[in-house]
Amino acid sequence: MNSPTGPNPQTLNDLRKRNPGLATKTYHFIAPNPSYKAVNAEALKRIEKVTLEQLEEIDLSGLDLTTLPNELFELKNLRAIDLSRNKLASIPSEIQQLKDLNILIANENPITTVHKDIDELQNLVTLSLVNCQLPEFPEGILAIKSLRSLQLEGNKISEIPLGLKDMEIEEINLLGNPIRNLPEEFFTTTSARLFHYFNDREENPDTRNFTA
């Protein structure tokens, strides 16, 4: 389903189309289908490219990574990362080292945990964890005051924390989550504007009054 401003962002290119001001210095890679050892080598090659050319974005998608190279966290000038279509089980604590990060995309990973230290990313504007395996809403997200777009479609989240209503988020996607109900505090004019999508509206009467 498309948002009021266009398709849900799935890649850095999608976000660039929606945000022309995003840095345009990007290097595009076509990864082969290598062994795990070669995958790590390819990731390091991409990191080296970003380091040498002082780029602000990196695409590490589709490399079958199960962990993130330590070298990634040395790229202090990074503003956007795409980690989609890997085999990551978590967003680690080390992510907090990338203080200037604006965009973090990690769609289609078997992610079950997001370390609470993600709350250190106080410049993060877009976080996309679509089609992962999150069993609950990552609490660390609630402390990211800069966050404006949160994409959590296709996870296993059943409850939404009350603190979410106080965030200044402009777009939230929670489609495909088994959300059981929402606190009454969400049914206000102020908080309703935060939600563009909800899972199975006809089966969840509590969500029908939200604006789309």
Side-chain angles (χ1 to χ4, degrees):
M1 181 181 294
N2 293 347
S3 75
T5 55
N8 297 330
Q10 298 295 315
T11 67
L12 290 176
N13 283 334
D14 291 341
L15 282 166
R16 191 175 295 105
K17 291 176 183 177
R18 294 175 58 179
N19 300 276
L22 190 65
T24 56
K25 299 185 298 180
T26 305
Y27 190 79
H28 297 279
F29 305 88
I30 299 177
N33 196 14
S35 65
Y36 183 68
K37 182 177 180 181
V39 166
N40 278 305
E42 175 64 17
L44 293 176
K45 176 183 176 182
R46 299 185 185 192
I47 290 171
E48 182 180 11
K49 177 75 176 182
V50 169
T51 302
L52 291 175
E53 299 193 11
Q54 298 183 329
L55 305 180
E56 296 179 345
E57 304 176 11
I58 189 167
D59 182 353
L60 294 179
S61 62
L63 293 180
D64 287 340
L65 294 174
T66 57
T67 59
L68 297 176
N70 291 330
E71 291 81 357
L72 175 65
F73 306 113
E74 296 174 6
L75 302 177
K76 306 302 183 183
N77 293 326
L78 276 184
R79 295 186 181 277
I81 302 177
D82 190 347
L83 301 171
S84 300
R85 302 186 308 282
N86 281 296
K87 297 180 180 179
L88 301 172
S90 67
I91 300 297
S93 171
E94 289 82 359
I95 199 72
Q96 67 175 302
Q97 298 176 37
L98 304 177
K99 303 293 187 184
D100 290 335
L101 201 62
N102 299 143
I103 298 167
L104 175 56
I105 303 175
N107 301 333
E108 299 180 37
N109 279 281
I111 295 172
T112 57
T113 59
V114 175
H115 198 281
K116 61 181 180 60
D117 286 345
I118 197 172
D119 64 5
E120 296 291 327
L121 300 182
Q122 290 300 320
N123 290 304
L124 195 65
V125 176
T126 296
L127 176 60
S128 186
L129 300 171
V130 173
N131 293 333
C132 295
Q133 299 291 322
L134 290 170
E136 58 187 12
F137 190 95
E139 293 288 339
I141 292 175
L142 298 177
I144 305 177
K145 300 184 184 302
S146 57
L147 198 62
R148 295 295 179 268
S149 176
L150 179 59
Q151 308 292 326
L152 294 176
E153 178 180 348
N155 281 279
K156 300 180 179 180
I157 299 169
S158 60
E159 296 184 2
I160 304 300
L162 183 59
L164 183 61
K165 74 179 182 64
D166 298 321
M167 298 183 71
E168 296 183 10
I169 295 182
E170 298 170 359
E171 180 180 37
I172 300 178
N173 182 351
L174 292 167
L175 272 174
N177 283 280
I179 298 171
R180 292 196 292 266
N181 52 58
L182 292 167
E184 290 185 3
E185 288 84 352
F186 281 93
F187 296 95
T188 66
T189 303
T190 301
S191 61
R193 66 180 174 80
L194 299 176
F195 297 87
H196 294 311
Y197 316 104
F198 262 91
N199 178 50
D200 300 330
R201 292 183 178 218
E202 293 183 0
E203 296 181 14
N204 290 295
D206 287 346
T207 67
R208 291 177 184 173
N209 292 327
F210 280 92
T211 58

